Each structure stands twice: as structure tokens, then as C-alpha cells.
Amino acid sequence: MLDWAKKWLLFFMAVVLITTGCDRRGPDGEQVDPREKIVIKFSHVVAEDTPKGQAARRFARLVEERTGGRVEVQVFPNSVLYKDGEELDALQKGAVQIIAPTTSKLSSLAPQWQLLDLPYLFENEEQVHKALDGELGKKLFATLEPYNIYPLAFWDNGFKQITNSKRPVVHPEDFKGLTFRVMINSKVLEEQFHSLGADTIQMPFSDVYDALSKGQVDGQENTVSNIYSQRFYETQPYLTVSNHGYMGYVVLINKKFWFSLPSDIRKVIEETMAEVTLWEREQAAKLNRKNFEKIKSSGEVKIHIQTPSERDEWQAVFAHLYQQFRSVIGNELIEEALRTKRTLP
């Protein structure tokens, strides 16, 4: 009798597992069961106290609150899951559900994204936002359609500055003989430094501090918030405030996963993302200003702020890049960006 009871118990458990298991969303993108808790892994490569890190945490908290706990967004900062060169592949395969890479990283899929690496393409955040929230942003998003990626938003990091360990860089000739780390996947960034007479090494963001501290590279370009949060300034005594290029992020979700979610959950995520995006952009500007003051007050860095005439010198050196990459990026995208720039101060 005992064996008979055990057999029926095992049979009953198997039936329960089979019937409930059929409702679960598998890797083939079946619809998520509305009764289940949905876990979303959000992986990124920067520190938690950066604009992206803070916005990711805020997004996670608000989504969980607004879905009554049905959705849990787990945030993994500082490359703890995947590095720069790994996160796009992880997203496409569904190993994580959301990432927010620097726009340059998308050039491995669609070379048109190198548009945003062109030096002095934009002069301020207002120009950037008008372009990326308008037709230019839509056209860039469209290039990702074939890759199992659904774009959600553009987030700010800020404008890039130059640091190095050797000497002040004020004029183009000051770069000669120096080696700079550049982000992976962007030929524009490599050619930008080559135009100045410098050498380049492509490197994931998580490896930059060690490379700088060990003297494997002489310098790098980045936003002030990254320079401060990653402590680059501790090994880079020379900082040139040049605002020569914009660095932003694009928040991406796995497309198959996105369309497997119930429509009400997608609505909450989209509305929350739009709200957090506005907040993130404000925080990025504030944090860059705040961290600049901290670097300045540290007394460890000699800071040079680029003058208008020096900017003209750099722009003259970079001018050929617009023509050189026109066929790669696309004439239409370049002209769209320049049109936006001309319509704003």
C-alpha cells in the first residue's frame, strides 16, 4: 500500500510539473505567464555612482514598485557579468535582458553608429537631445532591427575630455608620440587620435585603470564622471577640458524577451524608462560638474580648459574625418546631424 501511494504521489508531482512548466517562458520566446514573477537582468560596465549606474538602480526600483513586485530588475554594474566586448553578444543570446552600452559599441553590428563618435559633431546637450530624440535617433534605432535587439532610450554620459600622464595637451602637436586607449569597435575614434599623431590601443572599459596605472597607455578620453568614479585622475596628472566628443548610452532589451512580456508590463517599462531618461540626463550634467570640482580640489591634476582658438585648431585637424567616414556612416545621417546642429545655438 505504501509503494502504491508513493507511485501516485510521484505521478501527481510529475503532472503538476509538466502542466505548470508549459506556461513558463522558455528561450524560444514563449509568452510570459502573467502569474509568474518576471526577473530582468540589467548588466552594465560602469560604477554604481555614475549617471548610468544611478539611473539603472532608479529604473529597477520604480519598475518593481509600479508592477507590485511582479517584475524584479536585477542590476549588475562594473562588468561583474560581462565586459564591453561581451555584453552585446550576451544580450542577443538572452543571457541578460537589458544592457546600456556606449553608442560606439554598436558599431560592431551597424557601422552607422560611428556617427556619434565624430569629433565636435555636437556642441551641447540640447543639440544632442534634439537629434537623438528626433529623426536621427529613429534612423539609428532602425539599424538594429535585424539583431534581436529592441532599443528603449538614449541616456547621457556627457562630453569627453582628455587625460594623460606625460604632459599638457593643448595643441594638436602635443599628442605626437603618446598612446591612448580607445573604445572597442570604432574606427572613427582610432583615426581621431591618429590625426593628432598619437597611437591607439582598443581596450574594454574594465581594463583601463590597470593599463593607465601600469603605463601600458599614456592617456584616454572620457567624461568627467567616469574619470572620477574610476579614479583615472589618480594616475593621469594632466586633464584637458575639450568637450571634443559626446559620449552617450543606448538602453537595449532583448527583442524576443521584450515581445514575450505581457502588454501591461511593457507599458510600465516604457513609461518608467521615459521618466528615468529625463532624470538621468539631469543627473549626468550635475554629476559631471560636481566631479570636476572634486578633481580640481584634489590638487593632483593640472587642468587646461580649451580656448575657442585652440578648438579651431583641433577642428581643422579633424575635418577630414567627416569626409573619410561619409561612405561608412552614410551621407544622410551625417547631414541630419549637421542640420540639427545648425538649428540650435
Side-chain angles (χ1 to χ4, degrees):
M1 182 70 180
L2 186 58
D3 289 340
W4 179 86
K6 284 182 178 178
K7 288 179 181 178
W8 272 106
L9 179 60
L10 289 171
F11 175 77
F12 175 76
M13 291 174 65
V15 169
V16 169
L17 286 171
I18 291 169
T19 55
T20 57
C22 289
D23 288 335
R24 294 181 182 274
R25 186 194 64 80
D28 59 352
E30 294 176 13
Q31 187 71 15
V32 168
D33 185 340
R35 296 168 296 180
E36 288 189 3
K37 184 173 185 176
I38 300 165
V39 176
I40 298 175
K41 293 181 180 178
F42 187 157
S43 174
H44 66 80
V45 303
V46 298
E48 288 187 292
D49 57 351
T50 59
K52 178 162 61 175
Q54 292 181 9
R57 289 204 315 271
R58 186 179 184 89
F59 171 76
R61 176 175 58 80
L62 291 175
V63 167
E64 186 161 7
E65 289 175 1
R66 292 169 182 179
T67 60
R70 285 176 64 197
V71 178
E72 178 186 355
V73 180
Q74 300 174 349
V75 180
F76 299 89
N78 256 334
S79 302
V80 296
L81 287 185
Y82 298 101
K83 293 184 178 182
D84 273 340
E86 303 167 344
E87 57 179 0
L88 265 175
D89 185 59
L91 180 74
Q92 289 177 282
K93 290 178 178 177
V96 294
Q97 288 70 51
I98 298 180
I99 63 173
T102 307
T103 56
S104 303
K105 308 303 184 342
L106 296 174
S107 301
S108 62
L109 299 179
Q112 296 94 324
W113 284 83
Q114 292 178 91
L115 168 76
L116 301 178
D117 293 330
L118 287 171
Y120 297 113
L121 181 65
F122 299 113
E123 296 176 1
N124 53 55
E125 283 86 356
E126 187 180 3
Q127 291 178 358
V128 171
H129 298 159
K130 182 174 181 181
L132 298 185
D133 293 341
E135 287 303 311
L136 184 65
K138 292 177 184 176
K139 289 174 181 176
L140 287 172
F141 279 170
T143 66
L144 302 177
E145 288 180 7
Y147 300 107
N148 193 30
I149 290 171
Y150 187 85
L152 294 174
F154 284 105
W155 284 359
D156 278 352
N157 190 338
F159 281 86
K160 292 182 290 185
Q161 323 303 342
I162 298 284
T163 69
N164 86 97
S165 60
K166 299 297 184 183
R167 55 179 177 265
V169 289
V170 178
H171 306 287
E173 55 267 26
D174 297 329
F175 284 82
K176 290 180 180 177
L178 299 180
T179 300
F180 285 83
R181 175 264 176 174
V182 294
M183 288 186 284
I184 60 175
N185 299 336
S186 177
K187 291 293 183 184
V188 170
L189 295 181
E190 285 189 314
E191 288 304 314
Q192 168 189 273
F193 282 105
H194 294 167
S195 299
L196 295 164
D199 294 320
T200 58
I201 297 178
Q202 289 193 8
M203 188 181 299
F205 184 70
S206 55
D207 296 343
V208 177
Y209 181 82
D210 281 345
L212 294 174
S213 61
K214 294 174 182 177
Q216 294 170 351
V217 292
D218 299 313
Q220 59 86 52
E221 60 172 0
N222 234 301
T223 60
V224 170
S225 64
N226 280 348
I227 292 168
Y228 181 77
S229 67
Q230 297 294 320
R231 309 194 332 271
F232 294 161
Y233 71 97
E234 294 179 357
T235 64
Q236 302 275 279
Y238 301 102
L239 168 64
T240 301
V241 179
S242 54
N243 294 317
H244 63 279
Y246 169 75
M247 182 187 290
Y249 306 116
V250 56
V251 186
L252 307 169
I253 191 166
N254 177 280
K255 189 175 183 179
K256 188 178 287 187
F257 174 79
W258 174 250
F259 286 107
S260 76
L261 295 173
S263 58
D264 62 321
I265 295 297
R266 292 203 303 269
K267 187 172 186 291
V268 170
I269 289 175
E270 284 182 326
E271 290 176 349
T272 304
M273 182 59 68
E275 177 186 320
V276 171
T277 294
L278 295 177
W279 181 87
E280 189 276 343
R281 290 174 176 179
E282 292 177 357
Q283 296 308 304
K286 289 179 182 177
L287 200 58
N288 278 313
R289 290 194 296 268
K290 180 180 177 181
N291 288 347
F292 178 74
E293 293 303 319
K294 289 182 176 180
I295 291 173
K296 188 163 68 172
S297 64
S298 73
E300 298 181 34
V301 182
K302 295 179 181 178
I303 299 172
H304 174 77
I305 298 177
Q306 190 176 68
T307 66
S309 63
E310 292 160 2
R311 179 187 177 94
D312 290 342
E313 288 181 49
W314 289 35
Q315 281 188 296
V317 172
F318 294 144
H320 73 98
L321 296 175
Y322 284 72
Q323 190 59 40
Q324 180 179 343
F325 287 93
R326 196 168 285 268
S327 62
V328 176
I329 295 168
N331 185 66
E332 182 182 358
L333 288 175
I334 292 177
E335 291 304 317
E336 181 73 41
L338 294 177
R339 257 195 312 274
T340 303
K341 182 177 179 178
R342 286 193 292 267
T343 60
L344 287 174

